Amino acid sequence: MADYIHVSVAWPYANGDLHAGHLAGAYLPADIFARYHRLRGNHVLMVSGSDAHGTPISVEADKRGITAQALFTHYHERFLETQRQLGVSYDLFTHTDTENHHRIARDIFTLLNERGYLYRETQQQFYSESEGRFLPDRYVEGTCPVCGFENARGDQCDNCGSLLNALDLIHPRSKLDGTPPVIRETEHYFLELGRLVPQLQTYLQDKQHWREAVLNETLKNVADLRGDPSPRH
Ligand SMILES: [Zn+2]
């Protein structure tokens, strides 16, 4: 009996051209897997697409002085052409700026919110007074508190590899105009993952076809979610 195989390939940010690492790391292995299952007569659906949203897009667009939409459109078309020439056998290569994607993302958020799986929490974040906007981690640079490297990014230091909290940077400055940002409070939504542990464990129970190391790592991560501080209502 034929199996149904969904190959869900990582969605690249449309903020620069694809390189050999993308191909070797994600698309070629997925393509081999999909072709193998098609040859075996299984029903294969191999899907991916360009990610049109997120800080990596807006940082690059700001750097070039164009809109995020223009940057995304440019690279999405190049992704399509590159993968067509390479012969990667997608059943669908779409993007996240479609009506379908908007509706599904909104529905998931609304449903989680209605059923009480989301909670709000106030955090501190850098704010640029000159630009009048909050600055995500990647918009802030400064001196690494671990190694003293002067051009560390808000989320990571490229010199020593330490993962950073932007608020810990010494002499922080905005990547947009170099001015020092101030700290302001901002409210965000969070998913209460700890409450979904039983459902996740049930889902994982029959995944014996996964690699053992992958399954064990996943089970361990899910068990750890239990220890999350219980949210404040
Ligand atoms: Zn460092």
Side-chain angles (χ1 to χ4, degrees):
M1 200 179 79
D3 280 329
Y4 287 87
I5 307 285
H6 176 215
V7 187
S8 186
V9 190
W11 293 51
Y13 278 121
N15 69 342
D17 278 323
L18 297 178
H19 53 73
H22 288 114
L23 189 65
Y27 309 131
L28 193 56
D31 191 49
I32 291 167
F33 185 77
R35 286 171 188 268
Y36 166 78
H37 280 289
R38 288 189 196 106
L39 284 172
R40 289 200 57 167
N42 289 327
H43 303 288
V44 174
L45 186 66
M46 174 163 156
V47 179
S48 184
S50 304
D51 192 341
H53 303 106
T55 318
I57 308 275
S58 46
V59 167
E60 187 61 27
D62 284 341
K63 204 157 71 181
R64 299 189 192 187
I66 58 176
T67 63
Q69 176 77 41
L71 184 83
F72 151 71
T73 304
H74 173 76
Y75 282 111
H76 177 62
E77 275 160 22
R78 289 177 67 90
F79 287 179
L80 285 173
E81 185 52 29
T82 304
Q83 304 204 68
R84 204 177 284 131
Q85 287 185 21
L86 288 167
V88 182
S89 61
Y90 286 111
D91 296 292
L92 174 65
F93 189 88
T94 175
H95 59 78
T96 62
D97 198 23
T98 63
E99 190 47 47
N100 180 52
H101 188 90
H102 292 177
R103 183 175 50 76
I104 288 172
R106 201 166 47 228
D107 287 353
I108 291 173
F109 178 87
T110 308
L111 198 61
L112 287 170
N113 198 33
E114 282 170 5
R115 302 211 172 156
Y117 284 100
L118 302 182
Y119 62 96
R120 285 187 275 187
E121 200 169 85
T122 301
Q123 288 193 320
Q124 293 190 321
Q125 197 178 350
F126 278 129
Y127 181 87
S128 164
E129 289 182 319
S130 58
E131 295 261 341
R133 62 190 271 188
F134 279 100
L135 301 172
D137 289 354
R138 289 197 190 199
Y139 277 90
V140 184
E141 285 181 342
T143 302
C144 172
V146 181
C147 74
F149 179 60
E150 289 183 359
N151 295 313
R153 297 202 318 253
D155 56 347
Q156 187 171 6
C157 172
D158 284 336
N159 189 51
C160 70
S162 301
L163 296 177
L164 302 175
N165 176 346
L167 296 178
D168 294 334
L169 287 174
I170 302 160
H171 303 309
R173 59 185 184 273
S174 164
K175 270 182 85 165
L176 298 171
D177 60 8
T179 59
V182 297
I183 294 173
R184 281 202 188 174
E185 296 208 319
T186 165
E187 194 178 56
H188 295 274
Y189 284 93
F190 293 87
L191 175 61
E192 219 179 292
L193 256 182
R195 275 183 55 200
L196 294 167
V197 168
Q199 291 94 321
L200 286 169
Q201 285 174 332
T202 303
Y203 168 78
L204 291 166
Q205 260 165 14
D206 66 350
K207 299 297 175 287
Q208 299 306 321
H209 56 289
W210 287 17
R211 286 191 201 182
E212 203 180 328
V214 173
L215 184 59
N216 288 339
E217 182 69 19
T218 308
L219 285 167
K220 183 181 158 304
N221 285 336
V222 168
D224 285 349
L225 291 173
R226 250 192 207 155
D228 273 6
S230 83
R232 7 351 2 209
H233 284 291

